[in-house]
Amino acid sequence: MLKSKTFVKKTRSGGVMKIVREHYLRDDIWCGSEICTECKQESTVLQKDSCIESDLCSSPHYLVPDTNVVLHQIDVLEDPLIRNVIILQTVLQEVRHRSAPVYKRLKDIIHEKEKHFYTFTNEHHRDTFIEREPGESANDRNDRAIRVAVKWYSHHLDTAESDGLKVVLITNDQGNKEKAEESGLLVYKCEDYIKSLLANPELVDRLALTNDETKDISSSKVLFPEHLPLSRIQMGIKGGTFLQGTFRASRDNYLEATVFVQGEGEETTEVILQGLHNLNRAIHQDVVAVQLLPREEWVAPSSVVLLDEREAKDEDDTEEEEKEKAMKIIADDAARKPTGKVVAIIKRNWRPFCGMLNSSLIKESTRHLFTPADRRVPRIRIETRQAAALLSQRIMVAIDGWPRHSRYPHGHFVRSLGAAGDKETETEVLLLEHDVPHQDFSQAVLSFLPKMPWSITPEDMAVREDLRALTVCSVDPPGCTDIDDALHCKTLENGNFEVGVHIADVSHFIRPGNALDLEAANRGTTVYLCGRRIDMVPELLSSNLCSLRSNVERLAFSSIWEMDDKANIVKTRFTKSVINSKASLTYAEAQLRIDDTNMNDDITNSLRGLNKLAKILKRRRIEKGALTLSSLEVRFHIDSETHDPIDLQTKELMETNSMVEEFMLLANISVAQKIYDEFSECALLRKHPAPPPSNYDILNKAAQSKGLAIHTDSAKALADSLDMAKVDGFPYFNTLLRILATRCMMQAVYFCSGMDSNFHHYGLASPIYTHFTSPIRRYSDIMVHRMLAVSIGADCTYPDLTDKHKQSALCNNLNYRHKMSQYAQRASVAFHTQLFFKSRGIVNEEGFILFVRKNAIIVLIPKFGLEGTVFFDNKDKTGPKLVFDEEGPSLMVEQHIFKIFDKVKVTISLDDSNVQHQKIRMSLVEPEIPGVSVPVPEVGPMAKKPKLDV
C-alpha cells in the first residue's frame, strides 16, 4: 500500500516546484513475540514468559516506553531486570534526532540478545501508521502514534495462547497518560512502575529526577541568576553583546573558571569567571554564553588553591563570600584579563561521572552528596536508599538538572564500579573519566581479522619488494610486543649509505569502512597505562601479525634513502615490502652493541652506521631551530605476584633512543611531503603552533630570577637561549628551565591540509610533518599509509580519503582521543605513585620549586619525577604570615622568601584521609621556618614486602 503527499515549494529563482513524498505501508511487519500465531516470523525476540514481578501488574507483560522515558531513563532501561521491551520506530527516530549518546546506548541495548528489546516499525505498518491531523503538533502526533501502536499490540496479542499477557505503556507525560487511559490502555508513570518492581528495589535509585522533582528538593532562596532564553542569546551573540565559548573549570579553585571563545582563524579569547554567581551553574566543558563585565571589574587569574570541602548547604553563606574575597589580588592593569559572567548554557556536556558518596549527617536520610573524581565537576545531590552499602564504593552518577535554588546540581545513581582503592576499580574509573574506549572487541570487529594460520601469499610477494635478506632490526623499550618499526643501514658500492625505515603494514589488514576500521578510527590510539595496555586494534594484529618481531616474515611499508657520509639525502623511495627482522633489541641492548668494540657482526655495524648518521641529523635539526625540551618520565618496577609497584625510577635516555627518534622524524617528514604533493587538499598532517608570547611569562620570570634572559621571538632564538642558560654550581638548572619551557608549549594537533594554511611544526622546526611510523598504535598513521600507498600506485583510493570535511572531522576525534590518552596515562602514573608511597611511610627528599602560588609552592622531586604542593595555610589553625609578590613571583613565609627553582627539602607521604582523592602530601623540612617546617623523619628499617590493595 502506498501513501503519498503532494505539496509545492518555491525555489530560489522564484519558480514553483512540485514535490511528491511517497510512504510505503506493509502487511508483513511482524510483532516479534513468541506467543503470536498470526505473524509468519522466522525468529522472535519477545519472550512468551515475560514475567517481571510488579505490584502494579501481576500478569506477564511487555513494556512500551515513550520517547521521554527513553531519553531520561536510559540508565533504568539498561538494567538487566528490564527485559521484553518494544521500542517503536516513532520513539527510535525521535531519540536519534534529540540525543546521539542516548541513541547509541539504546541501539547497544537492542543488540543485547538477553535483553529482548524489539524494534517495531510502526510507521510503515498498515494498521499502526497515522497521519498528522490539521492543527496537531508533531509531538502530539507522535504521542498518538505511540498509543495507536500500543492498542494494536494489545489486540494483536489478545489470544488464547497469550495467557493474559499485557502490553504496558510507560510514560511520564500526564496528558499522554490520561489519553491512553481513555483509550482503555494499560499505562503507568515510569517512577510508579519502577517502584512497584519486587526483584530490585534499588533500581529506584537509578531514576532520573524530573524538573518538578528537582524543584521539590531545593531551598526557597534563589542562589543563581536566571539563564536567558535561547532567542535572546542568539541575538546577543550576533550583535556582540554576548560571547560563545567552552567553559573550563579550574582543578585548583572551584570558584574560578575560564571560557575559551573561538575567534577568527586560530585566535581564541580567554574570559575569566570568578565567584559562584558568575559561574552560574555551568559545568566543565559546557558550551556557554558569557557577558563581559565592565573593564573596571576585570580581575587577574587567582593564585589561591581552593577546594570545595565544606558541608552541604543551600544557603548563600558568608563562608563562600570570604573565599571569593580571598581570591582577588590587587593587580595592575596589565595583569587583568577580560572577566565575565555566564548568562546561559547553550549546550550541556553532562555525562555519567565517577566518584564517591558522602553520607548525609542526618540519620536515615535518603539525600546525600556525591563527590566526583574530577575536581573540576561540582558535587551532585542524589537520592539513594543504599547509602550504607555504597559508602566505600566507587560509583557512577548522572546529572538531571541544576535549579536556581540549589547550591549543587541534582542527579541519580547509575551503577557501582567496585571497592575504592582496588586496582581494577581505580583503573576502570580513570578509563571512564577520560573517555577511553576499553570494551572487548565485538564479534563484528573480530570477524574481519585474517583466518589463522596466516602466511604471506605468492600474490602478496608479487606486488611487494623482497627485503628479507637485509639486516633489519628493531629497537624498542623492554617488554614491547607491538613493534611498529625496524631499521637497516648498509654501505653501498659508491661509498654512500642505504638507510631504511620499515613500518608495519597495518593498512593491509584493515580495509576502509569495515567494522574493524571504524572501531580503530573511534579508538584513535592505543593507551598505555602502568601494567596494562588498551589496544587500538585486536591483539592478533597488534602483538602478532603486524608486529615486526624477529625471525618471522612480515609485511612492511618501507621508506628508503640513499645518503652520503654527511647524512645528505641523495635519493628517496617508498615501497611496500616483505622483511625478516634479524633482532628485536631494547634500547639498552642496542647501546651495548654499539659501545662494545669486540662486536662487529652485521647487526652491530648496521646500528653503528645508523647512530653515526642520526647524530648528524640531530645536530642539523637543532641548528635549524628544533627544540630540545625536557619532561620527567617514570618507570615502575612491578612485583610479579602482586603487580604492585616496588620501585620507582625516572627513565634514562640513551643514544639509541635519539637514534631511533631521528629516523622516525625523517620518515615522517619525507612521507608528509610526498602525500601533500599527491593530496594537496586532503593530506592528513600534524602541526605544532607557536605559543603566544604570554605563554612564556613564567619562563621569562624564572630565568630573570637567576639574572638570565630568554629570547622567544622564534624557536631558534628559544633553543639558543636554553643552550646558553647555565648557572654556576647549579647543574640541574638547565633541565628545570627546559621542563618549564615544555609547559609553555601548545599541543601538537592533526589537521587536514585543505582546511588550514599554517603547516609549520614549531618544536621540530619543520615546514611540514605527519605521523607514519606507528600504525599499530595510532589511527592517523593508518590513514597516512593509505595516502602514501595511493601516491606510489600500491593501492586504490576511496571517496572518504579525498573528502577534506570528513578528514577534518576524523582529525578532531584523533586529537581528542590522543589528549585523553595522555591524561589517562598521567592518572595511571599518579595512582601507582600513591601505591608506591603507601608502603614507604614518610620519605625525605630534595627538590626544586617549579611554581609559586599565593598560599603554596609546587615542588619537583627529580629522583621520582614527582610534583607535589606544600601548603602554608591551614584551615584548622592560624597559619604563618604570607606575602605574595606576583611580579617575582615570590612568596614570603614569615621571614623567608621562596622563588622559582629554589632548592628545598621536603617529606613525602601518602595522605589517604580522603579515600577518593588520595594524594601525595609534601611538608617543608628545609629551610627551617619555625611553626612551618617539620622535623626530619626517622628512617626506620625497610618494611616487609608491602601488602597493598590487589
Side-chain angles (χ1 to χ4, degrees), residues 461 482 498 633 669 683 726 784 907:
M461 294 299 299
D482 51 343
E498 179 186 274
E633 290 186 64
I669 292 167
K726 291 181 174 62
V784 169
T907 61

Side-chain angles (χ1 to χ4, degrees), residues 471-740:
T471 307
V472 174
C473 67
S474 62
V475 184
D476 290 284
C480 179
T481 60
D482 51 343
I483 303 172
D484 287 287
D485 54 89
L487 305 116
H488 89 272
C489 176
K490 71 173 185 179
T491 308
L492 301 173
E493 290 179 1
N494 63 2
N496 286 345
F497 296 96
E498 179 186 274
V499 176
V501 167
H502 311 277
I503 305 300
D505 190 3
V506 182
S507 62
H508 172 85
F509 297 96
I510 301 180
R511 303 309 296 164
N514 66 25
L516 178 56
D517 181 49
L518 295 175
E519 181 66 22
N522 178 47
R523 294 188 177 215
T525 181
T526 293
V527 180
Y528 296 90
L529 307 180
C530 302
R532 183 177 173 188
R533 186 180 82 203
I534 292 95
D535 283 323
M536 181 183 78
V537 298
E539 193 175 13
L540 178 65
L541 296 182
S542 65
S543 295
N544 187 351
L545 302 185
C546 291
S547 184
L548 305 182
R549 302 185 300 184
S550 56
N551 303 313
V552 288
E553 294 179 359
R554 286 289 179 257
L555 303 179
F557 210 149
S558 301
S559 177
I560 300 171
W561 305 273
E562 181 181 334
M563 292 182 175
D564 62 20
D565 60 356
K566 292 184 175 57
N568 297 307
I569 297 171
V570 178
K571 195 192 303 179
T572 304
R573 67 189 179 93
F574 306 101
T575 180
K576 292 257 185 170
S577 61
V578 180
I579 66 166
N580 188 323
S581 173
K582 303 301 184 281
S584 299
L585 305 173
T586 64
Y587 291 115
E589 288 168 346
Q591 192 67 54
L592 283 171
R593 279 176 175 268
I594 291 169
D595 295 342
D596 189 344
T597 53
N598 295 320
M599 296 188 77
N600 287 294
D601 58 278
D602 289 346
I603 294 171
T604 305
N605 289 332
S606 176
L607 289 169
R608 285 184 184 137
L610 289 165
N611 198 38
K612 175 189 166 190
L613 293 169
K615 287 179 179 177
I616 300 170
L617 289 170
K618 184 172 184 177
R619 187 170 67 248
R620 193 177 296 153
R621 264 196 324 108
I622 291 170
E623 284 169 1
K624 286 181 182 176
L627 295 174
T628 306
L629 300 176
S630 184
S631 61
L632 293 177
E633 290 186 64
V634 297
R635 168 167 289 132
F636 292 95
H637 294 271
I638 304 291
D639 188 290
S640 58
E641 292 178 15
T642 64
H643 302 290
D644 288 323
I646 52 176
D647 199 6
L648 171 62
Q649 295 174 338
T650 51
K651 292 181 183 176
E652 272 187 63
L653 296 180
M654 306 179 185
E655 271 187 6
T656 44
N657 290 83
S658 179
M659 175 189 80
V660 172
E661 181 187 14
E662 286 306 316
F663 285 108
M664 296 306 114
L665 293 176
L666 183 62
N668 288 335
I669 292 167
S670 300
V671 170
Q673 191 60 57
K674 179 70 176 175
I675 64 171
Y676 178 62
D677 291 344
E678 184 73 22
F679 298 97
S680 61
E681 282 295 297
C682 55
L684 194 157
L685 303 175
R686 188 165 175 82
K687 67 173 182 175
H688 183 211
S694 59
N695 277 31
Y696 290 120
D697 287 352
I698 191 68
L699 182 68
N700 288 325
K701 286 178 179 179
Q704 287 165 13
S705 70
K706 299 295 180 185
L708 299 169
I710 297 290
H711 301 287
T712 58
D713 308 337
S714 66
K716 172 74 173 153
L718 175 60
D720 291 345
S721 294
L722 290 172
D723 287 342
M724 301 280 289
K726 291 181 174 62
V727 173
D728 291 339
F730 192 176
Y732 199 66
F733 171 77
N734 192 262
T735 304
L736 286 170
L737 208 59
R738 290 180 193 275
I739 289 171
L740 216 51

Side-chain angles (χ1 to χ4, degrees), residues 166-210:
K166 307 287 185 188
V167 179
V168 178
L169 173 61
I170 302 293
T171 182
N172 277 328
D173 185 327
Q174 186 60 32
N176 194 21
K177 182 175 183 288
E178 288 170 1
K179 287 176 182 175
E181 287 170 338
E182 287 169 10
S183 303
L185 302 179
L186 188 58
V187 55
Y188 300 120
K189 290 191 78 170
C190 184
E191 183 180 354
D192 295 338
Y193 178 78
I194 297 302
K195 285 180 176 176
S196 77
L197 299 180
L198 304 175
N200 188 2
E202 288 84 10
L203 193 55
V204 175
D205 290 349
R206 301 182 71 172
L207 281 169
L209 296 175
T210 62

Side-chain angles (χ1 to χ4, degrees), residues 32-86:
S33 174
E34 279 181 352
I35 65 170
C36 180
T37 54
E38 287 184 41
C39 295
K40 299 168 185 175
Q41 46 204 0
E42 292 178 8
S43 61
T44 57
V45 174
L46 301 167
Q47 295 171 296
K48 188 175 185 178
D49 179 21
S50 60
C51 192
I52 301 178
E53 290 185 77
S54 163
D55 282 342
L56 287 176
C57 185
S58 55
S59 306
H61 54 276
Y62 298 152
L63 301 176
V64 184
D66 71 3
T67 306
N68 282 324
V69 167
V70 174
L71 284 169
H72 300 298
Q73 307 297 349
I74 189 71
D75 292 322
V76 171
L77 294 177
E78 285 176 331
D79 192 274
L81 182 69
I82 307 299
R83 300 188 306 276
N84 293 292
V85 176
I86 300 163

